[in-house]
């Protein structure tokens, strides 16, 4: 699924509003009560997977880094409603980062990533790593009904493919000698980020 820049701007703004609303009220923004511009209503209400990545901007003391991330591949929810949920999850419930503080909002850039269909990779483990080496998109490792994914580098530098795949295997508890038993996929997508004036 592809979305227009106009829809992306609306969704990025919605993500920020959802985070601010949760900070103030400890509740999720009521998506059903929002006014959505007519021109983008169809796109925003399509079923789609999406990811929100929160970036802390660089300053003289630090490099830019990921402050939170959340999302799903499954097309289970209208895109706009999904954004209200995953943006709050990225800000406050990402187990890899502490909860977002109110003062950090001014240093935050919201990224939206809409993943495409995944493409299954075939071959032995070394061959799969070689195939992934030429891929600039994301990676999925799936085993026993569980999956782990690595988005393309939206913030900072891209890690080496071998390290990304190893990290995903470890998340799923797959040892190197059992790496052949997992399934590997690549995917691309659309990336949008807030423009801070």
């Amino acid at each position: 699924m592809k979305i227009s820049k106009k829809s992306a701007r609306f969704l990025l703004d919605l993500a920020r509003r959802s985070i601010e609303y949760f900070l103030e009220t400890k509740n999720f923004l009521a998506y059903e009560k929002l006014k959505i511009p007519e021109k983008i209503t169809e796109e925003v209400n399509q079923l789609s997977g999406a990811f929100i990545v929160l970036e802390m901007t660089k300053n003289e003391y630090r490099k830019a880094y990921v402050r939170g991330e959340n999302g799903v591949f499954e097309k289970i929810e209208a895109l706009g409603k999904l954004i209200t949920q995953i943006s709050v999850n990225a800000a406050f419930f990402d187990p890899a980062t502490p909860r977002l503080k109110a003062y950090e909002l001014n240093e935050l850039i919201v990224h939206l990533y809409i993943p495409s269909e995944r493409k299954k990779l075939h071959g032995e483990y070394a061959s799969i790593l070689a195939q992934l080496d030429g891929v600039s998109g994301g990676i999925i490792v799936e085993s026993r009904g569980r999956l782990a994914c690595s988005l393309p580098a939206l913030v900072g530098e891209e890690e080496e493919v071998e390290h990304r795949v190893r990290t995903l295997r470890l998340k799923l508890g797959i040892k190197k000698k059992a790496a052949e038993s997992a399934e590997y996929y690549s995917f691309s997508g659309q990336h949008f980020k807030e423009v801070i004036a």
Side-chain angles (χ1 to χ4, degrees):
M1 178 187 129
K2 295 252 186 205
I3 64 168
S4 65
K5 287 183 180 177
K6 194 169 190 171
S7 294
R9 277 194 301 272
F10 174 81
L11 293 169
L12 287 166
D13 180 58
L14 180 59
R16 183 170 284 276
R17 283 190 299 164
S18 299
I19 292 168
E20 290 169 352
Y21 186 80
F22 191 87
L23 256 174
E24 292 169 13
T25 67
K26 301 293 182 246
N27 290 310
F28 286 89
L29 191 63
Y31 179 72
E32 295 74 22
K33 295 180 181 176
L34 291 177
K35 278 198 122 181
I36 301 167
E38 256 184 71
K39 288 183 179 178
I40 62 170
T41 302
E42 192 176 320
E43 273 187 0
V44 170
N45 285 324
Q46 279 187 73
L47 293 182
S48 175
F51 288 84
I52 291 289
V53 177
L54 305 177
E55 171 191 353
M56 288 302 287
T57 55
K58 69 177 184 171
N59 62 27
E60 64 265 23
Y61 304 109
R62 63 164 192 252
K63 293 180 179 179
Y65 66 96
V66 174
R67 185 63 180 80
E69 178 181 315
N70 194 257
V72 293
F73 284 98
E74 293 77 23
K75 299 176 180 183
I76 53 172
E77 194 79 74
L79 184 55
K81 184 166 186 170
L82 180 64
I83 295 300
T84 64
Q85 297 164 355
I86 63 176
S87 56
V88 169
N89 289 344
F92 304 105
F93 303 109
D94 181 347
T97 60
R99 287 176 164 239
L100 188 76
K101 308 288 185 285
Y103 67 85
E104 293 177 304
L105 277 172
N106 294 332
E107 300 177 59
L108 199 69
I109 295 177
V110 179
H111 294 256
L112 169 63
Y113 190 80
I114 309 289
S116 65
E117 295 298 317
R118 49 180 130 168
K119 177 183 156 206
K120 189 169 183 177
L121 304 171
H122 300 280
E124 295 179 4
Y125 185 65
S127 161
I128 286 170
L129 288 179
Q131 291 172 58
L132 287 170
D133 209 16
V135 172
S136 62
I139 301 169
I140 300 170
V141 178
E142 190 169 5
S143 175
R144 298 185 306 271
R146 296 173 55 226
L147 70 85
C149 75
S150 169
L151 295 177
L154 306 180
V155 177
E157 297 175 8
E158 185 80 58
E159 290 179 280
E160 289 183 20
V161 166
E162 198 167 340
H163 185 263
R164 290 172 70 194
V165 173
R166 182 175 175 271
T167 302
L168 296 176
R169 278 197 352 257
L170 290 172
K171 282 183 181 178
L172 297 174
I174 303 169
K175 296 183 177 165
K176 187 166 185 175
K177 53 186 166 192
E180 301 277 346
S181 65
E183 294 181 335
Y184 299 86
Y185 302 86
S186 66
F187 64 93
S188 58
Q190 282 183 287
H191 173 220
F192 303 95
K193 74 178 196 175
E194 281 182 313
V195 178
I196 306 297

